[in-house]
Each structure stands twice: as C-alpha cells, then as structure tokens.
Amino acid sequence: MTIPETKTAVEWLASVAPDPEACRFEWERNPLGVALLPAGRRWDVLILPGELGQATLDVLDLLLDRPGPVLADFGDSRLGFFVPPGTASRWLGTGVRGAGRGSWVVVPYPGRATGGVRWLVLPDGEGTLTDPAVLELAMHEAAARVLAKEDRTS
C-alpha cells in the first residue's frame, strides 16, 4: 500500500473507535501494532476456520476484482472477512463465528506486520466490504474444493 492509501485505510478503520486519536496512538506506540476496534458500526467480521477461509478467499479472488478486507490470525487458523454491519446477527452457518455489534476485533495497523494478526486483504479506505451473498457462494464452492481435496488424499 502506498502512503496515501495507508492513511485512508487508517482513517477508515480508526473512525469506528470510541476515540480515533487514541486508536492511532495505540497503533503507533503498541509494540504489537494492534488496536481493539468495535464491530457493528461500519463493518462486521465473519470468522471462518483457516482451511475453509483460505479456500474461500481463493474463490473470492476469482469472482471479484477486490474483496473487502480480510484478517488472518497467527498460523492462519482463522480468517476474518469484513462484511456490512448487521451481517453477523443474521448469519447462520456451522463453524462460522460472527463479530457484530457488541464485539471487539483485534486490528493491526494497515500494511504493518504484527506478531499475532495480519491483513491478507488490506482495507482500501473507501469502505469496500465483501457482499455476504457473494461470500456465501464462495464458501459453498470452497467447501466443495476442501472436501474434494480430502477425498483425493484419503
């Protein structure tokens, strides 16, 4: 990401914080380079298990010019897809966790490596999110791919 894109992404993310200045300060001063941000205002996060999440991201990359932001935790055991607010409370899916209103998400500074969580798809700063219907279709295709892969290795 270039400096202007990073600044725009930082502003977009920090805008949901109760105190945006404190959020930016935390990103700059915290050795981990992360801040805790509330979900449910500008975005929710749907959290998928790692293998399904990575396969879903692969499918989204084929379907879209650019999916919304995606986070991965340490070891890529879980991936978080940023979706429109309200999605988490309506989502029904086995093994998928939602972070919506009342939830907090650990968010790294855009473009900076951290020890625990990292961006797989950086926010664009314009508010691009993954459409839940497209995410659901990608998850179905990804699940079929994961099962086919398991069948080949058994």
Side-chain angles (χ1 to χ4, degrees):
M1 254 183 146
T2 65
I3 299 296
E5 290 171 330
T6 299
K7 183 176 181 188
T8 306
V10 167
E11 295 304 316
W12 179 74
L13 288 166
S15 72
V16 303
D19 182 346
E21 280 301 313
C23 175
R24 286 188 286 276
F25 182 83
E26 185 72 16
W27 270 328
E28 293 168 7
R29 302 292 190 271
N30 183 326
L32 297 177
V34 297
L36 200 55
L37 295 177
R41 291 183 66 195
R42 291 191 186 259
W43 39 260
D44 285 357
V45 180
L46 293 180
I47 304 161
L48 282 61
E51 185 176 18
L52 176 60
Q54 187 57 60
T56 299
L57 182 55
D58 292 344
V59 173
L60 285 174
D61 284 339
L62 297 172
L63 296 174
L64 304 171
D65 287 336
R66 177 179 172 70
V70 179
L71 288 172
D73 70 356
F74 182 73
D76 295 347
S77 63
R78 289 182 298 270
L79 273 65
F81 293 81
F82 282 52
V83 293
T87 301
S89 65
R90 296 186 307 271
W91 193 270
L92 298 174
T94 304
V96 177
R97 293 183 6 212
R101 187 164 296 283
S103 300
W104 293 78
V105 180
V106 174
V107 178
Y109 185 87
R112 189 179 301 154
T114 68
V117 63
R118 64 189 173 91
W119 291 106
L120 296 180
V121 178
L122 288 159
D124 62 7
E126 296 177 16
T128 300
L129 301 169
T130 299
D131 181 306
V134 175
L135 180 62
E136 183 177 15
L137 290 172
M139 286 173 58
H140 286 289
E141 175 63 25
R145 290 178 180 196
V146 169
L147 285 174
K149 181 180 167 187
E150 288 175 1
D151 287 346
R152 287 192 302 269
T153 59
S154 323

